[in-house]
C-alpha cells in the first residue's frame, strides 16, 4: 500500500444492542432510534452538515420498487467527513442472541454439529444487522463500510482478544470511510469458538487507535448506583479514574459531606454496575474520555459531537468517566 | 492460534454473477438456480448426504413470521463436510454493477465524492448478495461463512491483487467452514480504489490454496469457438494447457484431420473467448483442473462432485482445461 498519513480518530461509538434493536422482538431493528443515531452521527462527523442536502450512499432498490433510487451525481455540496474520523461498533441485541444461546457458541466446542450450526446461524443474524446499520448510515450520507471481525481474521484465546490486526480498519479510516464493526462469532484458540462482544472490540480498538473519546449509546441514561428501575436510583454523572484503573464518583457528591458517594478499586467487581464502570474505567485510564448516555437524546448528541470535552455541563444527563492524574 | 493441520482444498467454485442473478433485473437473485447450486454443492461436499435430513443453519426469522424457524437441536444424523473442503467465490451480476458503473469505482479516484459514494453503495449491494448466498447454502446444511475481501484487508495495486493474506480463509476452512467470498470494491495503492473481480480472487486463491479443481458455473454450457448465440458455434470440450500457459483445443478435433481446431499462445489475447480461456489456463498450468460449465445442470453436478477427475466422458457438456506435461 502507498504510505498514507494515519488519520487521527476522534471517537469510537458503541451502538448498544438494546439501543438499536427491539430487545424482545426477534431480529427487529428499532428504526426510530437507528434513524436518530444516524442523523446525530452525521451532525457530529461532518463539516458543512448544516446544509439540508443529503446525498445518500445506499443505491439499492427499495422494497416494492424495481429501480434503484435516483442517484444525484452532483456530490459537490456534500458535507465531508472532518479530518478526524469515527469508528462505529454495534452490539447484537435481538439479532444473534437467540442463535448463540440456542447453540452455546460462547461456550465453544465447534466440533459439535449444533455449535457449528449455531456459529453459522449467529453470523448470518449479526451480519444482517450490520448490513442494515451500514445502510442507515449511508442513507444519511455517511461513508460507512461494514467490517466483520471474523473476516478481519480476529480471534480470541480464552475468550480474550488474541489475534486482532487492526490495519484493515486503519486503512479504511485513512481512505475516508467510517468502519462499522460488530459483535461476532469468532474462532478461539483455547475453546475453538466463542462470541467476541462489541464491548471487547471497543476496548481493543480504543487501546490501538487512541480516540479522543468513546461514547456508549444505551437504552438508559447512564450508570446508576442501583438498578435504574428502583425509585431512589441515582445517576452517576461523573467518575474520576486514576491511572491504576481505580475510580470514584465525583458527581453527585454524598449529600452534605461534599465527598464522593463511594470508591471502588478496579478489581473489586461486585456486580453488574461495578463491572460496567470498571470496563469503562479501563478505557478512561488511557486518557480517553468515556460517555455512557441514552440513545437518541440531546444528551447523546452532545456526547457524540465533542461538546463535553471541556467541563461536563450540569444539565447533561449521562455518565462521564475521565482520567485524573 | 492453536496449531491445526491445514485441511486440503478439493475445489474452488465460482458462482458467476450471470448464473445466480437475473442479469437485467436490478438486485434480483435467480432463486431457482441458487437453490440448485446449493443442493449440488451439498451433494458434492458432504458425506452421508444421501440422507434426506437437512438441518438448516439459517435460523433467522422468515419473512412474515415473527418467530425463528424451529431449530432441530439433534444434529447427530447430519452429514458432515468431507475431509477436503470447498471455497465458494461469487460474482456480482445485477448486484453492484449499477452502483459501480454509475460512479466509476473501477477507475479509481476515491477523493471524488461520487466515487466514494459509489464505493459505499457498491459494497452495500454486493454484501447483501453475499448474505443471501450464505443463507441459501446454510439452509442446505452447508456451514457457510461470508467473508468480504475488503474486510479481509485485501487490496490491489494497478488493479492487480496486491496485499492478500489468505490466513483468515485458511483458518475458516480448518475450522470446518465453507468460506463464501465475492467480488468487492477494494482499496488500490496506485489509483486509490477499484473493483476486485471474483475471477481475480479465484486465480489468487487457486495459486495459494492449490485445490484439486476449480469449477466456473456460468449461464452458458462452456466456452465456444464463437459467440454461443451464433448457429454454428462449437463448444470446446477439452483444452490442453502446457506449463508455459499456452493451450490448444483437444476436443472437438478439426473434422477429418484429427488435428485440434486451433492453437493460441497464452499471451495472444485477441478477444473475449480467448481471454476467458487464457485466464482459466493460468490456473490449469498449476496442475489444477478447470471446468467451465452451465449452472444447475447434470453437467455442473458432475464437475462439482469430482467425477471428471479421470477421463472426461463424451456425454459431458462443458469446457475442461487440463495441464499436459
Amino acid at each position: 500500500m502507498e504510505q498514507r498519513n494515519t488519520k487521527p480518530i476522534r471517537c469510537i461509538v458503541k451502538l448498544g444492542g438494546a439501543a438499536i434493536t427491539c430487545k424482545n422482538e426477534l431480529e427487529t431493528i428499532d428504526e426510530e432510534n437507528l434513524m436518530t443515531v444516524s442523523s446525530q452521527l452525521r451532525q457530529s462527523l461532518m463539516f458543512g452538515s448544516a446544509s439540508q442536502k443529503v446525498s445518500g450512499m445506499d443505491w439499492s432498490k427499495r422494497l416494492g420498487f424495481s429501480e434503484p433510487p435516483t442517484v444525484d451525481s452532483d456530490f459537490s455540496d456534500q458535507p465531508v467527513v472532518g479530518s478526524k474520523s469515527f469508528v462505529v461498533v454495534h452490539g447484537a441485541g435481538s439479532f444473534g442472541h437467540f442463535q448463540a444461546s440456542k447453540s452455546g457458541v460462547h461456550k465453544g466446542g465447534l466440533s459439535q454439529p449444533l455449535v457449528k450450526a449455531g456459529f453459522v446461524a449467529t453470523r448470518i443474524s449479526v451480519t444482517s444487522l450490520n448490513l442494515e446499520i451500514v445502510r442507515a448510515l449511508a442513507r444519511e450520507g455517511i461513508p460507512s463500510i461494514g467490517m466483520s471481525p471474523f473476516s478481519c481474521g480476529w480471534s480470541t484465546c480464552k475468550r480474550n482478544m488474541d489475534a486482532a490486526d487492526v490495519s484493515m480498519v486503519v486503512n479504511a479510516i485513512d481512505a475516508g470511510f467510517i468502519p462499522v464493526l460488530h459483535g461476532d462469532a469468532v474462532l478461539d484458540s483455547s475453546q475453538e469458538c466463542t462470541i467476541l462482544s462489541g464491548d471487547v472490540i471497543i476496548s481493543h480498538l480504543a487501546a490501538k487507535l487512541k480516540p479522543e473519546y468513546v461514547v456508549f449509546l444505551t437504552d438508559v441514561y447512564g450508570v446508576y448506583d442501583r438498578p435504574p428501575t428502583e425509585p431512589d436510583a441515582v445517576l452517576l454523572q461523573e467518575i474520576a479514574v486514576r491511572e491504576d484503573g481505580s475510580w470514584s464518583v465525583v458527581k453527585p457528591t454524598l449529600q452534605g459531606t461534599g465527598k464522593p458517594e463511594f470508591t471502588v478499586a478496579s478489581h473489586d467487581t461486585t456486580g453488574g454496575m461495578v463491572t460496567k464502570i470498571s470496563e469503562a474505567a479501563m478505557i478512561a485510564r488511557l486518557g480517553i474520555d468515556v460517555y455512557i448516555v441514552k440513545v437518541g437524546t440531546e444528551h447523546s448528541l452532545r456526547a457524540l459531537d465533542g461538546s463535553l470535552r471541556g467541563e461536563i455541563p450540569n444539565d447533561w444527563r449521562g455518565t462521564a468517566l475521565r482520567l485524573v492524574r
Side-chain angles (χ1 to χ4, degrees), chain A:
Chain A
M1 295 293 298
E2 165 193 324
Q3 199 54 44
R4 287 198 187 83
N5 290 322
T6 294
K7 205 168 176 172
I9 315 293
R10 183 142 65 96
C11 175
I12 300 179
V13 190
K14 166 79 187 287
L15 311 185
I20 47 161
T21 73
C22 305
K23 244 182 196 168
N24 301 318
E25 279 176 71
L26 181 74
E27 295 184 345
T28 305
I29 290 172
D30 186 326
E31 299 285 353
E32 202 183 315
N33 277 355
L34 181 56
M35 273 176 60
T36 314
V37 167
S38 304
S39 160
Q40 291 193 349
L41 273 174
R42 174 186 166 83
Q43 291 173 62
S44 305
L45 245 173
M46 294 169 118
F47 289 125
S49 63
S51 139
Q52 291 307 299
K53 191 184 165 201
V54 175
S55 299
M57 297 183 180
D58 177 7
W59 303 348
S60 288
K61 70 177 181 188
R62 298 283 177 269
L63 213 63
F65 294 84
S66 63
E67 290 306 308
T70 310
V71 174
D72 184 353
S73 57
D74 176 18
F75 272 74
S76 55
D77 307 357
Q78 180 68 2
V80 293
V81 173
S83 60
K84 294 178 180 179
S85 192
F86 274 51
V87 176
V88 175
V89 181
H90 63 82
S94 60
F95 289 73
H97 276 318
F98 162 76
Q99 290 85 355
S101 63
K102 188 91 192 172
S103 57
V105 172
H106 56 289
K107 290 185 272 182
L110 201 52
S111 43
Q112 297 162 51
L114 178 64
V115 175
K116 179 171 288 180
F119 191 104
V120 170
T122 301
R123 291 209 76 240
I124 288 173
S125 188
V126 294
T127 55
S128 71
L129 174 61
N130 182 253
L131 181 60
E132 291 313 312
I133 291 174
V134 168
R135 277 191 202 278
L137 298 175
R139 277 187 209 127
E140 281 288 319
I142 297 171
S144 53
I145 290 281
M147 300 185 81
S148 275
F150 184 93
S151 304
C152 291
W154 294 0
S155 60
T156 55
C157 177
K158 294 183 183 157
R159 305 175 65 175
N160 293 313
M161 205 74 163
D162 185 15
D165 174 12
V166 299
S167 63
M168 54 285 276
V169 177
V170 170
N171 289 340
I173 294 165
D174 288 348
F177 296 113
I178 307 300
V180 183
L181 294 98
H182 59 88
D184 203 0
V186 297
L187 302 180
D188 182 286
S189 58
S190 63
Q191 61 172 39
E192 298 178 330
C193 67
T194 194
I195 297 294
L196 175 63
S197 76
D199 287 337
V200 173
I201 296 169
I202 296 260
S203 297
H204 182 75
L205 289 180
K208 295 275 184 184
L209 304 179
K210 298 275 161 55
E212 293 173 6
Y213 52 99
V214 170
V215 178
F216 288 89
L217 298 177
T218 68
D219 59 342
V220 291
Y221 275 99
V223 182
Y224 290 78
D225 64 343
R226 69 205 78 177
T229 44
E230 288 186 20
D232 296 330
V234 174
L235 180 67
L236 307 178
Q237 288 175 280
E238 202 171 332
I239 292 171
V241 177
R242 284 172 291 276
E243 279 181 340
D244 64 0
S246 66
W247 52 269
S248 50
V249 178
V250 176
K251 254 198 322 196
T253 50
L254 199 60
Q255 262 188 338
T257 67
K259 280 194 184 167
E261 208 155 305
F262 54 78
T263 298
V264 185
S266 65
H267 47 85
D268 178 12
T269 52
T270 54
M273 183 271 299
V274 171
T275 306
K276 202 164 185 174
I277 296 178
S278 297
E279 284 177 2
M282 287 297 124
I283 298 174
R285 67 195 276 263
L286 304 171
I288 300 164
D289 287 4
V290 178
Y291 311 119
I292 303 170
V293 61
K294 189 177 168 85
V295 68
T297 59
E298 52 162 317
H299 309 289
S300 59
L301 180 57
R302 287 156 86 185
L304 289 168
D305 73 9
S307 311
L308 306 178
R309 295 280 292 139
E311 188 81 358
I312 304 286
N314 278 325
D315 65 346
W316 183 72
R317 288 197 78 184
T319 302
L321 292 94
R322 290 174 157 183
L323 180 66
V324 285
R325 285 172 217 261

